[in-house]
């Protein structure tokens, strides 16, 4: 059984194995497909039309399946690799270990946002962006420039306390459900705020260009797993006949062979090292 670990506890070898597998997927031309898929869905997902990956109840199961596919792709390179998560309620600064030169690399430079340190810097020759919003083909970040602070543990706890998974109108305006508060369109803003805090490509639909995407979303998945553990009498909503969103037993694009119901029990596939 795969165990997903906090990036702050990874050994030097575990970090190196993860980075090497990511770089190999990039070299083989398989990494950019994830960038393309994410950008396609974030572009098409809208409040008043069909929405699958974002602004919708299936935000969490869709990304759980997306992460699982990526993790399995990494394991085709190195079977020992699992996705690490970044607990941004604890590792909250631009000098946290996640941004070290042996892992994700550091902030972008002030002149153009270009990341110049770490394995995903353009100057390594191994991380040239093919799918990008403009002509700049290097990874960009601007840590903490657009929003000053990452979410706190207390803020995350306040969202975990919400008992209802989601509610009408099942989009970014939904007021009371756990999913929309975790996604960040309402309340204390967890997921969205972290994307904006990192900035650069993480603030675009092409956010998987930054490998920090996977560590952030792995933590989002962990928070969902924690919510599931705390609210065992609650589950995914809606369950049927809901326009423009994916109901419990409907298939999710682009896979078309997996439903939200299939994604509810992550323990068949992987576990996390600790609770929240």
């Amino acid at each position: 059984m795969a165990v997903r670990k906090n990036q702050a506890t990874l050994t030097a070898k575990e970090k190196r194995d993860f980075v090497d597998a990511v770089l190999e997927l990039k070299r083989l031309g398989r990494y950019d497909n994830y960038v393309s898929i994410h950008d396609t869905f974030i572009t098409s997902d809208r409040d008043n039309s069909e929405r699958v990956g974002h602004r919708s109840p299936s935000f969490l199961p869709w990304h759980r399946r997306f992460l699982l596919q990526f993790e399995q792709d990494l394991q085709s390179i190195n079977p020992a690799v699992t996705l690490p998560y970044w607990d941004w309620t604890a590792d909250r600064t631009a000098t946290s270990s996640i941004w070290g030169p042996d892992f994700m690399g550091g902030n972008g430079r002030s002149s153009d946002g270009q990341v110049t340190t770490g394995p995903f810097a353009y100057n390594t020759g191994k991380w040239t962006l093919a799918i990008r919003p403009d002509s700049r083909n290097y990874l960009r970040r601007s840590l903490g420039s657009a929003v000053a602070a990452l979410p706190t543990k207390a803020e995350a706890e306040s969202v975990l306390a919400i008992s209802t998974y989601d509610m009408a109108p099942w989009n970014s305006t939904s007021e009371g459900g756990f999913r929309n508060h975790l996604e960040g369109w309402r309340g204390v803003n967890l997921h969205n705020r972290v994307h904006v805090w990192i900035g650069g490509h993480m603030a675009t639909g092409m956010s998987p260009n930054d490998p920090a995407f996977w560590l952030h979303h792995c933590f989002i998945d962990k928070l969902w797993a924690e919510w599931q553990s705390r609210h065992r009498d609650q589950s995914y909503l809606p369950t049927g006949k809901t326009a423009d969103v994916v109901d419990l037993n409907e298939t999710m694009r682009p896979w078309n062979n997996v439903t939200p119901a299939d994604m509810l029990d992550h323990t068949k596939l992987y576990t996390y090292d600790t609770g929240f």
Side-chain angles (χ1 to χ4, degrees):
M1 175 68 69
V3 178
R4 294 180 177 178
K5 300 177 183 179
N6 188 329
Q7 62 81 30
T9 70
L10 296 181
T11 66
K13 184 180 186 303
E14 287 171 331
K15 287 183 179 182
R16 187 168 59 250
D17 285 349
F18 177 77
V19 166
D20 286 350
V22 171
L23 290 174
E24 181 63 5
L25 282 185
K26 179 74 166 174
R27 187 189 71 81
L28 293 171
R30 285 152 54 183
Y31 188 94
D32 290 335
N33 185 52
Y34 293 96
V35 183
S36 179
I37 289 172
H38 191 268
D39 187 54
T40 296
F41 278 84
I42 209 167
T43 300
S44 63
D45 291 332
R46 290 291 177 262
D47 278 344
N48 298 310
S49 60
E50 186 183 21
R51 49 200 180 275
V52 180
H54 309 83
R55 300 170 177 260
S56 65
S58 51
F59 167 73
L60 291 169
W62 190 93
H63 279 87
R64 180 168 281 180
R65 180 64 181 83
F66 193 53
L67 265 64
L68 184 62
Q69 179 178 328
F70 183 68
E71 185 172 57
Q72 291 169 342
D73 223 357
L74 294 176
Q75 290 167 347
S76 73
I77 307 297
N78 183 342
V81 169
T82 58
L83 283 179
Y85 63 88
W86 166 38
D87 180 353
W88 27 254
T89 71
D91 297 304
R92 304 174 45 75
T93 72
T95 58
S96 295
S97 61
I98 182 176
W99 309 117
D102 62 338
F103 202 35
M104 293 294 104
N107 198 8
R109 61 190 181 192
S110 59
S111 59
D112 59 3
Q114 182 177 165
V115 173
T116 59
T117 60
F120 306 108
Y122 176 76
N123 57 20
T124 66
K126 297 180 179 180
W127 203 256
T128 301
L129 305 190
I131 299 168
R132 52 189 191 258
D134 53 40
S135 62
R136 293 173 289 181
N137 60 359
Y138 49 82
L139 177 61
R140 289 180 286 119
R141 292 183 185 133
S142 54
L143 305 181
S145 65
V147 291
L150 290 163
T152 65
K153 186 175 179 67
E155 287 174 327
E157 287 285 0
S158 73
V159 173
L160 288 169
I162 299 171
S163 60
T164 301
Y165 177 80
D166 208 345
M167 59 180 55
W170 318 107
N171 59 21
S172 72
T173 69
S174 299
E175 290 292 344
F178 164 74
R179 184 275 311 169
N180 204 31
H181 283 250
L182 179 59
E183 190 173 354
W185 300 109
R186 285 293 182 272
V188 295
N189 184 359
L190 300 184
H191 159 265
N192 290 348
R193 195 198 320 179
V194 177
H195 274 272
V196 175
W197 185 89
I198 294 174
H201 289 98
M202 276 289 279
T204 74
M206 302 170 191
S207 48
N209 270 316
D210 191 335
F213 171 93
W214 305 104
L215 282 74
H216 168 39
H217 269 276
C218 194
F219 189 55
I220 292 296
D221 184 76
K222 185 176 189 290
L223 290 174
W224 182 28
E226 181 70 23
W227 180 89
Q228 291 177 294
S229 176
R230 295 188 190 188
H231 302 278
R232 294 184 183 276
D233 59 336
Q234 301 291 319
S235 190
Y236 183 91
L237 295 171
T239 57
K241 299 181 179 179
T242 313
D244 293 329
V245 301
V246 182
D247 292 318
L248 177 64
N249 292 300
E250 289 183 331
T251 58
M252 296 184 290
R253 294 186 292 112
W255 307 283
N256 299 318
N257 62 358
V258 61
T259 68
D262 294 329
M263 290 289 98
L264 297 185
D265 183 9
H266 73 282
T267 63
K268 299 178 298 183
L269 305 164
Y270 58 87
T271 58
Y272 285 102
D273 54 352
T274 65
F276 178 60

